[in-house]
């Protein structure tokens, strides 16, 4: 029996699902190994029942998302947080520490609490057990394919546990921090993108989220301060894709 | 014959015994007869065991060399590779490289008494030492074993250990057992059976039970990192000379041949690679190699 | 030792002749601060005035990422990928890097020789070139400013010509097959060579006292210096990846979508990465940047075959985004700097 795979979507842009469709060369091979029970972006066909591998993209940003997520967890053996929104909360989580959702809805839309079905955007792991995360905005095709292959083979997929700098160096790309003092987040962001942006001379903006823990954030923060970037600038930059960056990630003396 | 040291050699699983919820005893037979016959090892050495498509992990051999050309490994399901090994059945293929590491110098110990101290998974290499010493009983003096378990369910090699516990004196080994879980009824039963040999407590508490070791005793330790510190304190109280205390260490390893660098310990003065320079070290080595224990 | 002289006017013919041995790699400027050993299409690409490449020439012997086995589950086979037969010329390698390769070769070719390293070494032709130190170089401190062996030919710039030391039979054969390129060395050439060496030696501005460093590192085990620099360290691994002596690697198995075939891949790794000392079950023997940076400096400061494990090339300092200065850290360990 082919493993039953579901590809589900919460709040997000659906770009991670799109990456699966983008695997044009492998897609036919892939579907010969799996039975897809739900894939919003690929087909209107849907099936109830248990799921062996669930890919869930998007963050939990509404009550409906939360309910949906819990249902998916309930029916799934392996649940994968798929993409930056699911892993870290996404860009919609970057202002999470600036007041409650009710206050903000009032401010922006002038509505009373409960008018919109909205919550602060949170990663899946905030509410359910997540078996594996595949980061990225969007996810990398190769990493996704490798994870699926590894799961089909019956073992735990390898995760990238080192930062973008490693891939940058192995590609012999000039370091944009050293060459031009750019505020590159490569030292603290999870590899797997093959240092695509630094390879183009661009500073990493962190779309794959922090390497495991945010433990290097304090050093990155001090380094960028020393280069003359403001605290606000650095925090904003870290928060775009790294979820709720607490000030205590940044060490004692900010 | 093998030329590339990183090339895994084929082996078949001939037996699987579930020892605890997370540990299995796996017996393998190397496929290439020539390689199997040339495969000579001493207790304390290890093999890099692997599953195709998943990876490799260093595992100590827990037997003494035997004529069967079979090797036994006590494998705890603790990571990707060991998880994959746990899923295999008798007749399945695993891949091995080795033996690696220095092993315990059984010839150095000849003519001396042996005090073997083991806790947790550390019993695996120590079992090989004990088997070897018992196979060559005439070469060694008194042999005592201190084995600490958390509870009966987590005891490894139960049949062997209970046999040593009950009939060890006949084989020429004094076997002592400690257990941490006070509520453990089976262990309590063993303590009632022989209160001079079994007690509630840590493995180091067993030092109260044993006769004072002779000056010509070698202490040989296998256990989790935390156990070394406390065991060594006891041995120092008994005035063991540091070169008479041997221990086997665990570290991350990828290659087993001193190349990949993960198992590094020590300082500028004392860099060592556990896979190649160890995994067996003396207390004297440890005293001169910061960070080793 | 055999020596010859190569007139600079013969330089282009010389480089052309090197190309007959195999694919020619030489330092090329790829950005404001980076040089790289790259395959040479045209002579003008070569920049021999370089100080250091970012990635050292170890990349030719242990590839940053390489398949060490292909496997087939159904057929129960690990297959060594074909070794290839391309021969390479590394032109313009500095003494520090040659000395680093000599030490690497000991790790990879003695005891249990690494098949891949051995084959590549066999098929390589190394041409050393003398250099001018910058403010980060301290190879005269580490005793690696002069390469005694580990090259085919070594070119010392003595003005109008190069003073050429022959380091191997392969180097000698090259000269023998291209006699018109070389002249016999005369006393004046020897004198110029000695002058050039003396001048090079006098031009170092960076220095690290090496005497007793191993003991001092041992004594500094609990020093505050590791916390100070551990806090600064980003844990990005750059220092290891650019180090000509670092050789840690990781191994991964990748299975293909047919769930039958795949590859075992070896890739460069770094002891500054958080999982370097992590064992199955979750215990990490070097859990924080403090332990990891301490381990790195102790490893670098240790002796291998009576040579320091650091060759003083300055790469780890130049390419550290956090600007951690290797010599400064070691000076603090020594107590030369407070």
């Amino acid at each position: 029996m082919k493993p039953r795979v579901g590809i589900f979507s919460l709040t997000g842009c659906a770009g991670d699902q799109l990456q699966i469709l983008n695997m044009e060369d492998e897609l036919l091979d892939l579907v010969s190994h799996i039975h897809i029970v739900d894939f919003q972006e690929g087909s209107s066909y849907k099936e109830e029942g248990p799921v062996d591998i669930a890919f869930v993209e998007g963050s939990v940003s509404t009550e409906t998302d939360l309910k949906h997520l819990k249902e998916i967890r309930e029916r799934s053996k392996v649940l994968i947080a798929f993409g930056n929104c699911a892993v870290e909360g996404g860009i919609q989580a970057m202002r999470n520490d600036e007041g409650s959702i009710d206050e903000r809805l009032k401010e922006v839309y002038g509505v009373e609490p409960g008018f919109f079905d909205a919550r602060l955007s949170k990663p899946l792991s905030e509410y359910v057990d997540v078996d594996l995360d595949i980061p990225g905005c969007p996810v990398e095709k190769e990493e996704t394919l490798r994870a699926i292959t590894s799961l089909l083979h019956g073992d735990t997929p390898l995760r990238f546990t080192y930062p973008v700098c490693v891939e940058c160096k192995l590609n012999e790309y000039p370091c944009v921090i050293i060459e031009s003092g750019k505020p590159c987040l490569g030292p603290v962001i999870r590899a797997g993108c093959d240092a695509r942006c630094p390879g183009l001379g661009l500073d990493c903006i962190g779309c794959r989220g922090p390497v495991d823990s945010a433990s290097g954030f304090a050093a990155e923060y001090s380094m960028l301060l020393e280069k003359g970037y403001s605290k606000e600038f650095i925090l904003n930059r870290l928060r775009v894709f790294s979820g709720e960056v607490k000030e205590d990630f940044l060490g004692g003396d900010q | 014959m093998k030329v590339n040291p990183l090339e895994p050699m084929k082996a078949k699983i001939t037996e699987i015994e579930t020892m605890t919820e997370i540990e299995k005893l796996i017996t393998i037979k190397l496929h290439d007869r020539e390689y199997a016959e040339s495969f000579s090892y001493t207790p304390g050495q290890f093999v890099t065991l692997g599953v195709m498509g998943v990876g490799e992990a260093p595992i100590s051999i827990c037997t003494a060399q035997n004529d069967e050309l079979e090797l036994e490994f006590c494998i705890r399901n603790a990571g990707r590779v060991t998880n994959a090994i746990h899923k295999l059945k008798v007749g399945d293929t695993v891949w091995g490289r080795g033996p690696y590491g220095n092993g315990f110098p059984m010839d150095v110990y000849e003519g001396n008494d042996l005090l073997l101290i083991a806790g947790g998974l550390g019993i695996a290499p120590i079992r090989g030492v004990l088997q070897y010493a018992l196979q060559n009983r005439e070469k060694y003096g008194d042999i005592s074993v201190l084995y600490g378990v958390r509870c009966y369910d987590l005891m490894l090699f139960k049949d062997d250990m209970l046999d040593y516990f009950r009939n060890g004196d006949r084989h020429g080994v004094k076997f002592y057992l400690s257990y941490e879980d006070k509520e453990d009824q089976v262990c309590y039963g063993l303590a009632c059976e022989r209160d001079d040999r079994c007690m509630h407590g840590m493995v180091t508490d067993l030092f109260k039970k044993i006769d004072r070791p002779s000056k010509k005793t070698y202490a040989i330790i296998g256990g989790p990192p935390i156990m070394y510190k406390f065991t060594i304190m006891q041995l120092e109280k008994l005035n063991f000379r540091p070169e008479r205390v041997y221990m086997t260490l665990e570290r991350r390893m990828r290659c087993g041949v001193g190349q990949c660098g993960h198992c590094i310990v020590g300082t500028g003065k004392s860099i060592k690679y556990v896979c190649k320079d160890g995994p067996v070290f003396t207390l004297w080595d440890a005293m001169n190699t910061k960070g080793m224990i | 030792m055999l020596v010859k002289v190569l007139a600079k006017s013969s330089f282009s013919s010389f480089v052309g002749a090197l190309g007959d041995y195999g694919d020619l790699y030489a330092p090329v400027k790829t950005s404001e601060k980076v040089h790289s050993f790259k395959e040479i299409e045209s002579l003008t690409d070569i920049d021999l005035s370089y100080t250091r490449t970012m990635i050292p020439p170890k990349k030719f012997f242990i590839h940053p990422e390489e398949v060490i086995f292909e496997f087939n589950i159904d057929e129960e086979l690990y297959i060594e990928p074909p070794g290839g037969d391309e021969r390479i010329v590394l032109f313009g390698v500095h003494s520090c890097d040659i000395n680093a390769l000599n030490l690497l070769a000991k790790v990879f070719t003695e005891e249990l020789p690494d098949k891949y390293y051995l084959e590549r070494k066999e098929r390589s032709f190394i041409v050393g070139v003398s250099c001018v130190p910058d403010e980060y170089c301290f190879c005269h401190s580490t005793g690696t400013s002069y390469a005694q062996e580990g090259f085919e030919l070594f070119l010392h710039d003595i003005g109008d010509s190069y003073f050429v030391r022959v380091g191997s039979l392969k180097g000698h054969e090259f000269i023998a097959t291209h006699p018109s390129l070389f002249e016999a060395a005369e006393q004046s050439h020897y004198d110029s060579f000695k002058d050039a060496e003396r001048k090079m030696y006098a031009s170092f501005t960076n220095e690290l006292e090496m005497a007793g460093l191993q003991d001092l590192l041992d004594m500094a085990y609990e020093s505050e210096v590791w916390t100070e620099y551990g806090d600064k360290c980003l844990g990005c691994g750059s220092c290891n990846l650019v180090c000509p002596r670092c050789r840690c690697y990781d191994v991964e198995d990748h299975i293909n979508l047919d769930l039958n075939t795949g590859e075992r891949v070896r890739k460069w790794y770094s002891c500054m990465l958080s999982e370097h000392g992590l064992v199955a079950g979750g215990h990490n023997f070097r859990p924080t940047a403090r332990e990891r940076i301490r381990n790195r400096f102790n490893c670098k400061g240790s002796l291998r075959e009576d040579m320091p494990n650091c060759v003083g090339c300055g790469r780890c300092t130049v390419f550290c985004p956090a600007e951690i200065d290797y010599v400064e850290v070691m000076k603090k360990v020594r107590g030369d700097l407070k």
Side-chain angles (χ1 to χ4, degrees):
Chain A
M1 256 245 307
K2 289 184 194 171
R4 294 165 57 85
V5 174
I7 298 146
F8 304 97
S9 194
L10 307 178
T11 298
C13 71
D16 301 307
Q17 291 197 47
L18 186 61
Q19 282 291 70
I20 294 184
L21 287 177
N22 281 342
M23 295 179 196
E24 287 156 358
D25 294 338
E26 299 87 8
L27 210 51
L28 287 179
D29 270 348
L30 182 61
V31 292
S32 72
H33 285 282
I34 58 177
H35 174 70
I36 296 179
V37 299
D38 199 324
F39 186 6
Q40 182 72 36
E41 200 157 287
S43 163
S44 55
Y45 176 81
K46 277 188 176 34
E47 225 176 272
E48 296 297 313
V51 175
D52 293 302
I53 306 168
F55 289 84
V56 183
E57 66 159 16
S59 67
V60 179
S61 304
T62 62
E63 295 297 335
T64 314
D65 283 343
L66 184 56
K67 188 167 162 275
H68 192 191
L69 174 64
K70 286 183 171 165
E71 285 165 7
I72 298 165
R73 177 70 272 187
E74 196 73 351
R75 63 191 278 222
S76 307
K77 267 193 217 148
V78 173
L79 187 148
I80 300 171
F82 193 49
N84 180 264
C85 293
V87 178
E88 303 289 350
I91 50 174
Q92 56 270 37
M94 73 175 133
R95 297 283 178 236
N96 271 6
D97 63 338
E98 294 178 13
S100 74
I101 193 79
D102 287 344
E103 284 167 40
R104 287 200 259 166
L105 288 173
K106 181 143 182 95
E107 175 88 21
V108 178
Y109 299 102
V111 296
E112 291 307 311
F115 186 87
F116 288 120
D117 171 28
R119 305 174 62 99
L120 283 182
S121 172
K122 300 274 184 179
L124 311 188
S125 58
E126 188 81 12
Y127 303 106
V128 298
D129 287 336
V130 170
D131 302 296
L132 176 75
D133 49 17
I134 300 179
C137 185
V139 295
E140 295 292 331
K141 284 193 283 186
E142 190 174 320
E143 184 180 14
T144 305
L145 190 66
R146 234 176 229 171
I148 300 173
T149 312
S150 188
L151 286 167
L152 292 175
H153 184 233
D155 74 84
T156 330
L158 288 166
R159 300 169 70 247
F160 288 91
T161 56
Y162 49 82
V164 175
C165 287
V166 172
E167 292 174 335
C168 190
K169 283 288 164 302
L170 296 188
N171 279 305
E172 297 196 55
Y173 295 147
C175 172
V176 297
I177 301 173
I178 293 166
E179 298 262 333
S180 45
K182 287 187 181 167
C184 181
L185 297 184
V188 293
I189 296 301
R190 207 183 321 175
C193 54
D194 209 26
R196 187 179 286 116
C197 298
L200 296 166
L202 301 169
D203 38 328
C204 168
I205 57 169
C207 75
R208 294 178 53 79
V211 187
D212 276 311
S213 63
S215 61
F217 276 21
E220 174 85 18
Y221 176 71
S222 323
M223 175 185 75
L224 294 179
L225 274 186
E226 229 163 86
K227 295 206 180 295
Y229 294 97
S230 70
K231 177 178 172 181
E232 195 192 0
F233 174 86
I234 303 165
L235 269 173
N236 279 344
R237 197 170 175 81
L238 288 170
R239 279 175 179 151
V240 177
F241 292 106
S242 296
E244 293 178 31
V245 178
K246 305 273 191 307
E247 299 222 352
D248 57 356
F249 287 176
L250 307 181
D253 52 346
Q254 351 95 38
Chain B
M1 248 337 251
K2 193 172 142 81
V3 282
N4 185 337
L6 297 179
E7 183 179 346
M9 301 300 282
K10 186 156 87 175
K12 290 277 175 209
I13 296 183
T14 55
E15 226 178 300
I16 299 174
E17 183 195 328
T18 299
M19 292 201 288
T20 71
E21 266 181 30
I22 52 166
E23 278 122 349
K24 284 183 177 178
L25 181 65
I26 304 226
T27 310
I28 68 165
K29 191 162 192 141
L30 291 163
H31 179 76
D32 184 313
R33 197 165 171 87
E34 200 185 335
Y35 181 59
E37 278 167 0
S38 69
F39 194 97
S40 81
Y41 63 94
T42 55
Q45 285 194 287
F46 65 94
V47 163
T48 294
L49 269 192
V51 176
M52 210 178 250
V54 182
E56 297 179 313
I59 315 272
S60 0
I61 309 172
C62 61
T63 41
Q65 181 107 35
N66 55 48
D67 300 333
E68 308 291 318
L69 301 180
E70 285 190 337
L71 300 165
E72 285 179 13
F73 302 92
C74 172
I75 297 174
R76 175 178 289 175
N77 184 350
R80 292 179 72 241
V81 176
T82 49
N83 182 265
I85 295 175
H86 266 241
K87 286 181 186 160
L88 299 176
K89 303 178 297 294
V90 169
D92 284 348
T93 300
V94 286
W95 299 84
R97 297 188 283 122
Y100 294 133
N102 53 1
F104 290 101
M106 297 308 296
D107 52 337
V108 170
Y109 306 151
E110 284 179 17
N112 290 272
D113 296 339
L114 301 180
L115 174 61
L116 312 182
I117 306 153
L121 202 48
I123 190 67
I126 297 298
R127 176 177 177 255
V129 175
L130 182 57
Q131 279 188 1
Y132 184 96
L134 292 178
Q135 279 168 18
N136 299 276
R137 190 65 192 88
E138 72 289 351
K139 290 185 182 166
Y140 303 97
D142 288 346
I143 302 174
S144 304
V145 180
L146 315 185
Y147 178 33
V149 297
R150 196 167 299 156
C151 59
Y152 182 76
D153 286 346
L154 295 180
M155 184 192 288
L156 301 171
F157 309 104
K158 285 193 182 69
D159 293 348
D160 285 9
M161 296 303 139
L162 292 176
D163 183 40
Y164 293 134
F165 179 72
R166 297 207 165 100
N167 312 311
D169 298 273
R170 248 182 286 147
H171 306 304
V173 52
K174 287 183 191 158
F175 189 90
Y176 299 83
L177 180 73
S178 69
Y179 59 100
E180 288 171 46
D181 180 2
K182 209 171 179 156
E183 310 296 318
D184 191 314
Q185 290 304 311
V186 184
C187 287
Y188 179 71
L190 294 172
C192 294
E193 199 178 314
R194 282 205 71 167
D195 70 350
D196 60 331
R197 291 290 170 84
C198 178
M199 66 183 287
H200 167 252
M202 309 298 286
V203 69
T204 41
D205 292 324
L206 290 172
F207 280 92
K208 290 178 225 156
K209 297 263 175 200
I210 60 170
D211 297 333
R212 192 181 174 86
S214 72
K215 281 206 156 27
K216 56 181 193 88
T217 303
Y218 278 101
I220 296 162
I221 320 171
I226 183 79
M227 201 188 98
Y228 290 104
K229 211 170 92 188
F230 293 102
T231 308
I232 286 160
M233 275 162 58
Q234 293 290 337
L235 294 170
E236 281 174 341
K237 268 193 228 160
L238 292 167
N239 293 323
F240 266 84
R241 289 169 58 103
E243 80 277 18
R244 282 192 165 262
V245 177
Y246 280 77
M247 55 196 134
T248 173
L249 301 185
E250 180 199 13
R251 284 296 185 279
R252 185 185 185 95
M253 294 172 193
R254 279 293 189 244
C255 67
V257 295
Q259 290 177 352
C260 80
H262 290 270
C263 65
I264 188 169
V265 288
T267 68
K269 183 75 174 169
S270 59
I271 292 291
K272 290 186 178 59
Y273 292 97
V274 172
C275 72
K276 191 162 139 282
D277 304 318
V280 173
F281 293 98
T282 65
L283 177 55
W284 180 241
D285 293 327
M287 287 163 73
N288 287 289
T289 312
K290 292 195 171 95
M292 187 179 266
I293 50 171
Chain C
M1 186 188 25
L2 299 172
V3 294
K4 287 281 175 188
V5 169
L6 171 73
K8 282 193 177 167
S9 54
S10 305
F11 183 72
S12 60
S13 323
F14 171 71
V15 175
L18 285 176
D20 295 341
Y21 177 88
D23 300 337
L24 181 68
Y25 292 84
V28 171
K29 192 174 170 72
T30 57
S31 78
E32 186 57 33
K33 292 185 177 163
V34 175
H35 278 84
S36 169
F37 280 101
K38 286 205 175 296
E39 191 165 359
I40 298 302
E41 305 293 334
S42 133
L43 198 61
T44 52
D45 294 343
I46 303 177
D47 181 3
L48 277 191
S49 70
Y50 86 113
T51 308
R52 62 182 70 74
T53 55
M54 180 169 73
I55 298 297
K58 69 177 178 183
K59 70 175 181 181
F60 293 103
F61 300 97
I62 296 290
H63 295 173
E65 185 166 336
E66 62 183 314
V67 175
I68 54 170
F69 293 105
E70 288 159 1
F71 58 78
N72 186 310
I73 296 177
D74 288 347
E75 292 175 18
E76 299 199 320
L77 278 178
Y78 279 100
I79 307 143
E80 285 172 20
D85 49 11
E86 75 282 5
R87 300 198 297 179
I88 59 164
V89 180
L90 297 185
F91 178 57
V93 188
H94 290 167
S95 299
C96 56
D97 283 348
I98 290 177
N99 280 308
L101 285 174
N102 291 345
L103 281 163
L104 266 193
K106 285 195 190 298
V107 174
F108 281 100
T109 62
E110 287 179 2
E111 279 188 66
L112 289 166
D114 184 82
K115 193 174 161 14
Y116 312 96
Y117 196 106
L118 274 180
E119 284 179 2
R120 287 169 193 154
K121 197 157 169 55
E122 190 60 43
R123 297 196 312 267
S124 68
F125 192 98
I126 296 178
V127 182
V129 168
S130 59
C131 47
V132 181
D134 72 3
E135 69 270 34
Y136 298 102
C137 294
F138 60 104
C139 58
H140 67 316
S141 301
T142 52
T144 45
S145 59
Y146 190 86
Q148 303 263 12
E149 55 182 357
F151 53 85
E152 278 38 70
L153 301 173
F154 201 109
L155 274 50
H156 295 267
D157 190 336
I158 52 167
D160 293 340
S161 50
Y162 289 104
F163 183 80
V164 183
R165 288 187 290 138
V166 184
S168 73
L169 183 59
K170 249 194 274 181
H172 170 67
E173 282 166 354
F174 177 83
I175 288 176
T177 45
H178 301 89
S180 61
L181 290 174
F182 300 92
E183 303 158 27
E186 288 167 19
Q187 191 54 44
S188 64
H189 296 122
Y190 283 95
D191 291 342
S192 307
F193 162 69
K194 284 186 275 186
D195 285 346
E197 282 299 291
R198 203 177 307 115
K199 228 168 99 188
M200 185 269 285
Y201 211 77
S203 62
F204 281 96
T205 54
N206 198 8
E207 194 162 10
L208 176 65
E209 174 62 52
M210 297 299 291
L213 184 63
Q214 292 70 40
D215 278 16
L216 290 163
L217 277 164
D218 197 76
M219 291 173 205
Y221 196 69
E222 299 299 343
S223 163
E224 279 301 303
V225 73
W226 309 125
T227 314
E228 182 189 345
Y229 288 97
D231 285 349
K232 214 177 164 192
C233 173
L234 297 154
C236 72
S238 295
C239 49
N240 300 116
L241 301 168
V242 302
C243 176
R245 270 296 286 135
C246 277
R247 53 92 201 296
C248 280
Y249 64 72
D250 199 22
V251 178
E252 288 176 1
D253 281 16
H254 296 155
I255 187 159
N256 296 330
L257 193 51
D258 61 14
L259 303 183
N260 181 44
T261 59
E263 295 168 338
R264 173 161 290 173
V265 175
R266 166 163 82 178
K267 50 188 193 181
W268 290 3
Y269 205 70
S270 149
C271 64
M272 293 309 303
L273 303 177
S274 62
E275 294 202 350
H276 190 265
L278 180 76
V279 293
H283 185 75
N284 194 331
F285 285 92
R286 289 179 293 279
T288 72
R290 175 178 174 270
E291 287 96 18
R292 294 193 280 271
I293 204 163
R294 176 171 70 190
N295 173 67
R296 187 174 96 81
F297 277 86
N298 275 287
C299 181
K300 291 292 109 189
S302 66
L303 295 175
R304 297 289 155 79
E305 315 287 332
D306 294 328
M307 269 171 98
N309 200 21
C310 159
V311 294
C313 70
R315 283 185 177 91
C316 57
T317 303
V318 173
F319 296 106
C320 174
E323 297 178 25
I324 295 174
D325 183 325
Y326 179 89
V327 170
E328 177 186 301
V329 176
M330 285 302 198
K331 282 185 173 166
K332 288 205 178 176
V333 166
R334 299 192 63 89
D336 299 350
L337 258 182
K338 296 289 174 220

